[in-house]
Amino acid sequence: MIFPAAEFQGRVARLQARMADAGIDALLLTTPPDVFYVTGFLTRFWESPARPWFVIVPAKGAPVAVIPSIGAGLMGKTWLSDIRTWDAPDLVDDGVSLLASTLGDLVPDTGAVGLHMGLETHLRMPLADYERLRAALAPRHFADATGLVQRVREVKSEAEIDRIRQTCAIAGRAFDRVPEIAGAGAPLERVFRDFQRLLLEEGAEWVSYLAGGAGPGGYGDVISPASDRPLARGDVLMLDTGAVREGYFCDFDRNWAVGGADDASRRAYDRLYAATEAGLAAARPGMTAGGLYRAMAAVTGDVSGRIGHGLGLSLTEWPSLIPSDRTELRAGMVLTLEPWVEIAPGRMMVHEENVVIREGAAELLSPRAAAELPVI
Amino acid sequence: MIFPAAEFQGRVARLQARMADAGIDALLLTTPPDVFYVTGFLTRFWESPARPWFVIVPAKGAPVAVIPSIGAGLMGKTWLSDIRTWDAPDLVDDGVSLLASTLGDLVPDTGAVGLHMGLETHLRMPLADYERLRAALAPRHFADATGLVQRVREVKSEAEIDRIRQTCAIAGRAFDRVPEIAGAGAPLERVFRDFQRLLLEEGAEWVSYLAGGAGPGGYGDVISPASDRPLARGDVLMLDTGAVREGYFCDFDRNWAVGGADDASRRAYDRLYAATEAGLAAARPGMTAGGLYRAMAAVTGDVSGRIGHGLGLSLTEWPSLIPSDRTELRAGMVLTLEPWVEIAPGRMMVHEENVVIREGAAELLSPRAAAELPVI
């Protein structure tokens, strides 16, 4: 296991304290980050959408797993002892009656089952099975537990921060080696593949996310797959990665000028660097996510979309650095600072760093980008 | 775009024919494979759970995209022309009213919106937003469209089969190079990372899935992360990959004996090889998924769990090769054959190939495994 049982016991105790306040008798978790968070169960097998997996956090005591039998061995290595399995896939009853009876025992007839219903969440089980579960558990009701879980998960323990720092260091070493793989003439599609290779060589266990872009004096967007167009002198290249080690993500990017940079690119880079400096300087417990947006937007000007977000067991977590997000920043929250600027219509540049909110100044988790746009 | 518009138009026409039969006025799609299937929209940005994405297949005409504005540029490169966006994340109304008004225009008051509700599916949007959408669209109702979508998507076009064959060839070349990276003394954790590197070198755009195992005379399970235990003489090593290129997965594995194999390992391998031979020989249009299970289980004996499944835009698709699955096999369906045997308690071996059902004999898409357990 990646953490000792005490780490998970603390997490569960913090969830249970908030569950008691909210009148929730059991929490039903269905997604990889939530299940890992309370159990330590870590597997790439989630990639298969075939099977649902359920973990219940009761009002008191350790979580109960209700999972396909193929996962019994691995779940048995976690700190959980109550592991109930069915032979999935079962075309008639794919764990629903087992889950209903387990929840029925843990939740009084008039009680509430907490579940994610809010933004940035989804229910990872078939909708018809959820309706069956609701019917089977009535008159118990389901209640939104999104905020409750977020308030606990968003404050990372030092053990978690260490893991995120470790993944950031891996990506930092890979970014340092980009001159080995990128330069005028290298097709962007090959740069994407080679950069993932560098991440693996530097210690990433897998590369869950890779994005980027390249174009003369800036790139068009940051979500398109790579084309096979060769990099050309005057291009700005950006690579943005969500590599993973021991379950924890990094999420930051780097920019390079190919051959040389024009003034507009250099100025855009300087502005983004100044914006992340402003974000780093401003980030403090007690301010809001919206306040941190404003600290960076004071440098870049207002932009659409979010310019940063939470980070940890997923590539992106709440809160969102947007003007309207009033989530209070607290010590231990890990965030990305991700300002962007439009250089010209269809040409943008984005810069991203990872930080942890501390009682004093925020701490950088990603190795700081170069102060000036590097040339390769 | 990976395919010409005609490929997507054909897919949508086939969906619409079944929608008409089922009395479904519009189909609401929310997951990466479904959205790619009808639009060609391909991005790793789905890794972020922050934003929902919606594509509607109306009763007639091209799909309508209702998506976060960050995706407008990339969606604009697909064959779709009706692309409606909102600035996500919006903490008050994250696309729900835009989606409701769009569906409201496309579906009559007494009509039905089709949605995935069945096994192997989930709804990739917040549950509370789904409830809001239901309320906004009443008296329209939501109906399960799982079977409808599955019957269309499960029969691959030749263009899709070409893509899966291409990904299988990439993995085949990487498997051929495993002796470069694995052998007595190599920690399994490093072998996992190095094998992903080989996949990228051989042409994979990303490695969505990697699993494996190693142990004396067999491995304990196939879903655990790699430990740092060095491979030892007498181990059986297995690597199983879901690499991706142009959106299409492979999903097959290979086994090796480290240093040399004992008789039990060799016999288990022979039995699995014979079981996939039996599956290949038996697989024909008109039989059921359960029938194909029985053809392989005649060699291995009955086992729990499924011993194969569909493959394409996800690592695993329906149907399941289990006794109870009566899905009819049809020409163009791409399946994995994945029999396993228990060698001794806690020691198993699994073998997997990828095939496409043809009018005559099935066609192998993965390069056939060696007939005898290879030694490295």
Side-chain angles (χ1 to χ4, degrees):
Chain A
M1 281 299 103
I2 289 169
F3 301 114
E7 171 81 14
F8 298 108
Q9 286 159 349
R11 297 174 181 187
V12 167
R14 288 189 287 278
L15 286 169
Q16 286 168 334
R18 288 184 184 260
M19 287 163 58
D21 289 344
I24 286 177
D25 301 286
L27 189 61
L28 175 61
L29 304 174
T30 67
T31 63
D34 279 335
V35 168
F36 176 81
Y37 188 72
V38 298
T39 67
F41 181 79
L42 184 64
T43 171
R44 290 178 76 168
F45 200 63
W46 290 100
E47 180 68 30
S48 166
R51 296 174 185 81
W53 301 74
F54 308 108
V55 168
I56 301 161
V57 178
K60 289 184 200 309
V64 179
V66 180
I67 60 171
S69 49
I70 194 169
L74 184 58
M75 191 64 85
K77 295 178 193 165
T78 72
W79 69 292
L80 269 57
S81 55
D82 191 345
I83 299 165
R84 309 177 190 195
T85 67
W86 81 97
D87 197 12
D90 183 320
L91 304 185
V92 176
D93 178 4
D94 207 32
V96 176
S97 63
L98 182 62
L99 178 61
S101 69
T102 306
L103 277 168
D105 289 344
L106 292 168
V107 178
D109 281 1
T110 55
V113 179
L115 195 68
H116 281 300
M117 299 182 182
L119 289 196
E120 312 207 23
T121 78
H122 67 269
L123 181 66
R124 192 187 177 281
M125 70 181 286
L127 199 55
D129 282 352
Y130 171 62
E131 296 297 345
R132 282 183 201 110
L133 183 71
R134 284 221 293 196
L137 286 174
R140 297 169 190 84
H141 67 281
F142 285 77
D144 187 9
T146 305
L148 177 167
V149 176
Q150 289 183 343
R151 293 298 81 73
V152 174
R153 274 189 49 197
E154 69 194 12
V155 173
K156 270 64 180 175
S157 69
E158 289 305 318
E160 292 188 282
I161 294 166
D162 283 346
R163 292 315 187 289
I164 299 170
R165 191 187 290 108
Q166 167 182 260
T167 310
C168 286
I170 289 167
R173 294 194 296 272
F175 279 128
D176 286 344
R177 292 178 58 192
V178 163
E180 296 176 19
I181 62 164
L188 186 60
E189 188 273 336
R190 207 184 70 204
V191 172
F192 271 34
R193 289 193 286 122
D194 284 344
F195 182 61
Q196 294 175 89
R197 171 174 61 75
L198 295 182
L199 287 162
L200 292 159
E201 288 178 4
E202 294 299 337
E205 287 169 351
W206 74 80
V207 184
S208 276
Y209 185 69
L210 179 71
Y219 26 88
D221 78 65
V222 296
I223 74 168
S224 292
S227 74
D228 51 10
R229 171 183 171 276
L231 296 177
R233 190 183 163 81
D235 278 358
V236 175
L237 165 69
M238 184 275 290
L239 295 169
D240 180 0
T241 188
V244 184
R245 187 167 179 96
E246 296 187 301
Y248 286 85
F249 282 73
C250 66
D251 180 16
F252 64 101
D253 77 357
R254 289 296 177 255
N255 290 277
W256 299 264
V258 179
D262 62 17
D263 280 349
S265 305
R266 274 196 296 260
R267 280 197 304 269
Y269 188 92
D270 293 346
R271 197 138 49 98
L272 292 172
Y273 190 90
T276 48
E277 284 287 302
L280 269 165
R284 284 288 188 288
M287 79 187 305
T288 64
L292 188 47
Y293 166 91
R294 281 183 287 274
M296 290 191 285
V299 178
T300 62
D302 278 308
V303 293
S304 68
R306 59 186 188 175
I307 58 173
H309 52 77
L311 169 69
L313 289 172
S314 295
L315 175 70
T316 73
E317 297 182 353
W318 64 93
S320 292
L321 302 192
I322 53 177
S324 59
D325 195 319
R326 293 181 187 175
T327 306
E328 184 189 346
L329 303 190
R330 291 181 292 152
M333 287 175 70
V334 175
L335 299 172
T336 73
L337 304 178
E338 189 177 10
W340 68 275
V341 292
E342 186 176 61
I343 302 172
R347 282 197 294 144
M348 66 181 296
M349 192 183 291
V350 57
H351 174 202
E352 191 169 20
E353 301 281 9
N354 298 159
V355 305
V356 55
I357 303 296
R358 295 295 196 185
E359 285 302 339
E363 176 193 342
L364 257 176
L365 295 176
S366 47
R368 188 75 172 114
E372 295 189 353
L373 179 58
V375 177
I376 52 174
Chain B
M1 283 296 103
I2 289 168
F3 301 115
E7 171 81 14
F8 298 108
Q9 286 159 349
R11 296 174 181 186
V12 168
R14 287 189 288 279
L15 287 169
Q16 287 169 333
R18 287 183 185 259
M19 287 163 60
D21 290 346
I24 286 177
D25 300 285
L27 189 61
L28 175 61
L29 304 174
T30 67
T31 63
D34 279 335
V35 167
F36 176 81
Y37 187 72
V38 298
T39 67
F41 182 79
L42 184 64
T43 173
R44 290 178 76 168
F45 200 64
W46 290 100
E47 180 67 30
S48 166
R51 295 174 186 83
W53 301 74
F54 308 108
V55 169
I56 301 161
V57 179
K60 290 185 200 312
V64 178
V66 180
I67 60 171
S69 50
I70 196 171
L74 184 58
M75 190 64 86
K77 295 178 191 164
T78 72
W79 70 293
L80 268 58
S81 55
D82 191 345
I83 299 164
R84 308 177 190 195
T85 66
W86 81 96
D87 198 12
D90 182 320
L91 304 185
V92 177
D93 177 5
D94 207 32
V96 176
S97 62
L98 182 62
L99 178 61
S101 68
T102 305
L103 278 168
D105 290 343
L106 293 168
V107 178
D109 281 0
T110 55
V113 178
L115 197 67
H116 280 299
M117 298 181 182
L119 289 197
E120 312 205 24
T121 77
H122 67 268
L123 180 66
R124 193 186 177 282
M125 69 181 287
L127 200 54
D129 282 353
Y130 172 63
E131 296 297 346
R132 281 183 202 112
L133 183 69
R134 284 222 294 197
L137 287 173
R140 297 169 189 85
H141 67 281
F142 284 77
D144 187 9
T146 305
L148 177 169
V149 175
Q150 289 184 342
R151 293 297 82 72
V152 174
R153 273 190 49 198
E154 70 194 11
V155 173
K156 270 63 179 175
S157 69
E158 290 305 319
E160 292 188 282
I161 294 167
D162 283 346
R163 293 313 187 290
I164 300 170
R165 190 188 289 108
Q166 167 183 264
T167 310
C168 286
I170 289 167
R173 293 194 296 271
F175 280 128
D176 287 344
R177 293 179 57 192
V178 164
E180 297 176 19
I181 61 164
L188 186 61
E189 189 271 337
R190 206 184 71 203
V191 172
F192 272 35
R193 290 192 285 122
D194 283 345
F195 182 63
Q196 294 176 89
R197 171 174 61 77
L198 296 182
L199 287 162
L200 292 160
E201 288 178 4
E202 295 298 337
E205 288 170 349
W206 75 82
V207 184
S208 276
Y209 185 69
L210 179 71
Y219 27 88
D221 79 65
V222 297
I223 73 167
S224 291
S227 73
D228 52 10
R229 172 184 170 274
L231 296 177
R233 190 183 163 83
D235 278 359
V236 176
L237 166 69
M238 184 275 289
L239 295 170
D240 180 0
T241 187
V244 184
R245 187 170 179 94
E246 296 187 303
Y248 285 86
F249 281 74
C250 65
D251 180 16
F252 65 101
D253 77 357
R254 290 296 177 255
N255 290 278
W256 300 263
V258 177
D262 62 17
D263 281 350
S265 306
R266 274 196 296 260
R267 281 197 303 271
Y269 188 92
D270 293 346
R271 197 137 52 97
L272 292 172
Y273 191 89
T276 47
E277 285 286 302
L280 268 167
R284 284 291 188 289
M287 80 187 304
T288 64
L292 187 48
Y293 166 92
R294 282 182 286 275
M296 290 191 285
V299 178
T300 61
D302 277 309
V303 292
S304 68
R306 60 185 189 177
I307 58 173
H309 51 77
L311 170 69
L313 289 173
S314 295
L315 176 70
T316 74
E317 297 182 356
W318 63 92
S320 292
L321 302 192
I322 54 177
S324 60
D325 195 320
R326 293 179 186 176
T327 306
E328 184 189 345
L329 303 191
R330 291 181 292 152
M333 286 174 71
V334 174
L335 299 171
T336 73
L337 305 177
E338 190 175 11
W340 68 275
V341 292
E342 186 176 63
I343 300 172
R347 283 198 294 145
M348 65 179 298
M349 193 184 291
V350 58
H351 173 200
E352 189 170 20
E353 301 281 11
N354 298 159
V355 306
V356 54
I357 304 297
R358 296 296 196 183
E359 285 302 340
E363 177 192 342
L364 259 175
L365 295 177
S366 47
R368 188 76 172 111
E372 295 188 353
L373 178 58
V375 176
I376 51 175

